[in-house]
Amino acid sequence: MNRSLRRVGGAVVVLILICVAQLTYLQIINAGHLANDPRNTRAALRDINRPRGPILSADGVVLARSVPSKDNTEFKYQREYPEGGLFAQVVGYQSFVFGNTGVESTYNDALVGREADLQLDNLSDLVSGSNGTGTVVLSLRADVQREAAAALGLQRGSVVVLDLTTGEVVAMYSTPTYDPNPLAGHNSLEVQKAYKALNDDPNKPNLSRAFRELYAPGSTFKSVTAAVAIDESVATPAEPVYPTLSQLDLPQTDSVLRNFGGKECGGNLAESLRQSCNTTFGQIGLDLGNKFVGGMRKFGIGVIPPFDVAPGAIASIGPPAGSFDLNQPLFAFAGIGQGDVATTPLQMALAAAGIGNGGVIMKPHVGAEIKNSKGKVIRRIANEPWRTATSATTAQAVNTMMTDVVEQGTGTAAKITGVRVAGKTGTAQADGGPPHAWFIAFAPADAPRYAVSVIVERGGSLGSEATGGRIAAPIAARVLKVALNK
């Protein structure tokens, strides 16, 4: 009998210890994760009746604010988004039903005044019992954002503009977009109805295409291929001279890789980039072999970019490491940004930024600074390097070649009077319809400041007749002009 009691007692002790360990994990170790989970409505309810600071653009436009609630509910404040869908996919929303997203989530503690730096600065508010809030100022400029929206128009796609010296996002707009105001309402049934309508919409207006969607980058990726080829001593801008071909025979298969429109092209690396010659860059992909994967990774392919917009950016992808011997044709297609390569528009903006910034890619971020309720700057968001994509020498060589693309190659539609632009066009084949039109660039080419990535899905208004040079390059030129105050 005593032996049986000891067994039962031992089992009870073990169960108690397991419960204690689980509670310790949930309440201490995992507390922050649970508190910030957007599905945690308790966190949203905790903050919904607190004063909440505004979110501003870099040029002072109010993107989010709280006003006294006018409805007959227990909520004291109503969150408003005066710019509607223009900044929705970055700013996000505060919802007591579905939690917070975007900047509203990432910088929640600053907005409600709970961030440590703000609390130290607002000691007088704590003594008086009032709640001091924070103001979040973004790096996004409303003038550049509006130009991006106007340039895309009704075409589905995305525009990303970066300050390549700091990593600050100057514009990030995707279409279609959505109005976040209904999701911040106080009527739970109406909020759920609006949320369901968004999720049921086949056009995915709530999808942050700029950093949450993958596309084949097409020939814009040839800038990355060129940089890796130079770094790995496979090619220089002048040598070797690749044969003039209309198609490239692919090893391990009876298939071929064709040039756009069946044209013949070739020459050295610089000439091939200017003409966007598929056969040359397909051959370079084969010549690089497994080294190509490591070179892509330096640019961030296969790595999740650090990004301060919840739920964060997704990783772009490339061929698996060590897969060349079994899948050589896919490396030829990777050389032209097809096959196993798929990137976000943000990633291609980062690639352009790295080339323009002497080989260094800065961490992308939309937050610029945190202010207290009196307008005093409490904290500035740090500008930090993320990756060294290539050497300064290689970056300058690719800069020169990309400038040639705009001066006299496929990207002439991106020219800006008085400013030299370095860019690369792309027309990416996509399953189920017309190709995507791409363009990446940075300017001024001789003193780079801003990088841009543009994708127009399915060729936009031109459909199957679209190319990156015809439809995406002019959009890039428009937003760069505004960014540069030209």
Side-chain angles (χ1 to χ4, degrees):
M1 183 68 178
N2 289 337
R3 186 177 181 183
S4 298
L5 287 173
R6 282 198 299 271
R7 286 179 176 175
V8 172
V12 170
V13 170
V14 170
L15 290 173
I16 291 172
L17 290 174
I18 291 172
C19 289
V20 170
Q22 179 68 2
L23 287 171
T24 301
Y25 173 76
L26 291 173
Q27 293 183 354
I28 298 175
I29 299 174
N30 202 38
H33 175 74
L34 292 173
N36 294 317
D37 192 314
R39 295 167 296 179
N40 184 358
T41 56
R42 184 173 296 177
L45 289 170
R46 174 194 62 191
D47 292 333
I48 203 79
N49 274 324
R50 291 178 62 117
R52 188 176 185 84
I55 300 172
L56 306 178
S57 70
D59 42 356
V61 176
V62 177
L63 309 182
R65 65 189 175 198
S66 292
V67 298
S69 179
K70 297 179 181 178
D71 52 29
N72 295 319
T73 67
E74 69 274 23
F75 300 114
K76 297 178 182 178
Y77 303 98
Q78 173 65 58
R79 199 64 168 165
E80 292 183 344
Y81 302 94
E83 296 296 320
L86 186 62
F87 291 88
Q89 290 159 352
V90 173
V91 172
Y93 53 81
Q94 181 197 35
S95 170
F96 83 98
V97 178
F98 296 106
N100 299 352
T101 65
V103 169
E104 290 276 33
S105 174
T106 309
Y107 292 98
N108 181 68
D109 284 353
L111 291 165
V112 298
R114 200 161 44 234
E115 192 172 283
D117 292 339
L118 279 166
Q119 289 183 333
L120 287 172
D121 192 73
N122 291 332
L123 284 176
S124 60
D125 291 330
L126 291 175
V127 171
S128 66
S130 61
N131 289 311
T133 63
T135 296
V136 175
V137 181
L138 304 185
S139 57
L140 279 76
R141 285 169 44 186
D143 59 340
V144 185
Q145 187 84 347
R146 289 193 179 106
E147 188 66 20
L152 270 177
L154 298 178
Q155 300 173 117
R156 197 163 64 181
S158 184
V159 177
V160 179
V161 182
L162 303 174
D163 183 323
L164 56 81
T165 65
T166 64
E168 293 179 329
V169 180
V170 178
M172 180 175 276
Y173 179 77
S174 297
T175 183
T177 183
Y178 69 98
D179 183 2
N181 285 290
L183 298 171
H186 294 160
N187 184 316
S188 61
L189 293 178
E190 291 299 320
V191 171
Q192 290 176 29
K193 181 179 177 181
Y195 187 80
K196 184 179 186 302
L198 275 178
N199 284 280
D200 290 348
D201 190 329
N203 292 314
K204 301 179 181 178
N206 57 339
L207 174 66
S208 301
R209 285 170 160 78
F211 59 96
R212 299 285 298 174
E213 182 71 300
L214 294 174
Y215 307 87
S219 293
T220 59
F221 202 73
K222 290 172 183 172
S223 299
V224 174
T225 305
V228 178
I230 296 172
D231 280 344
E232 296 294 339
S233 301
V234 166
T236 71
E239 295 179 341
V241 175
Y242 295 89
T244 299
L245 303 171
S246 62
Q247 61 187 38
L248 176 69
D249 292 331
L250 297 174
Q252 301 177 329
T253 178
D254 294 331
S255 300
V256 297
L257 188 160
R258 293 183 173 84
N259 288 317
F260 184 77
K263 69 178 182 180
E264 290 189 346
C265 59
N268 60 30
L269 186 61
E271 293 166 339
S272 295
L273 190 71
R274 182 176 67 245
Q275 301 173 76
S276 199
C277 189
N278 286 348
T279 53
T280 291
F281 282 90
Q283 184 61 55
I284 291 173
L286 294 172
D287 294 342
L288 283 167
N290 285 319
K291 294 178 181 178
F292 201 2
V293 177
M296 291 183 198
R297 193 168 182 86
K298 289 181 179 180
F299 274 88
I301 305 301
V303 182
I304 298 175
F307 193 44
D308 57 344
V309 178
I314 61 173
S316 298
I317 59 175
S323 63
F324 176 71
D325 290 341
L326 295 177
N327 293 294
Q328 294 181 25
L330 291 178
F331 279 70
F333 282 105
I336 65 168
Q338 298 275 177
D340 280 350
V341 177
T343 64
T344 63
L346 172 61
Q347 177 59 57
M348 291 313 297
L350 291 169
I355 294 168
N357 196 38
V360 177
I361 303 176
M362 303 296 288
K363 288 182 180 179
H365 57 96
V366 300
E369 57 189 22
I370 309 299
K371 295 181 178 181
N372 66 13
S373 56
K374 302 177 181 65
K376 175 186 174 184
V377 176
I378 301 302
R379 178 168 68 94
R380 288 186 170 87
I381 309 304
N383 303 319
E384 303 175 50
W386 176 43
R387 305 189 73 77
T388 299
T390 185
S391 69
T393 302
T394 297
Q396 184 55 55
V398 180
N399 179 332
T400 300
M401 291 190 290
M402 291 175 67
T403 303
D404 197 33
V405 168
V406 176
E407 295 286 330
Q408 52 183 337
T410 58
T412 55
K415 285 183 178 181
I416 299 173
T417 303
V419 178
R420 297 184 75 212
V421 177
K424 184 66 193 77
T425 56
T427 307
Q429 300 303 310
D431 293 337
H436 301 316
W438 278 90
F439 192 74
I440 63 170
F442 53 86
D446 43 3
R449 176 68 188 280
Y450 297 110
V452 62
S453 168
V454 176
I455 181 173
V456 180
E457 295 183 22
R458 302 297 183 188
S461 60
L462 295 181
S464 59
E465 300 299 315
T467 64
R470 289 183 64 188
I471 199 160
I475 294 173
R478 284 182 60 172
V479 296
L480 283 172
K481 282 181 183 178
V482 176
L484 293 164
N485 294 316
K486 293 292 181 181

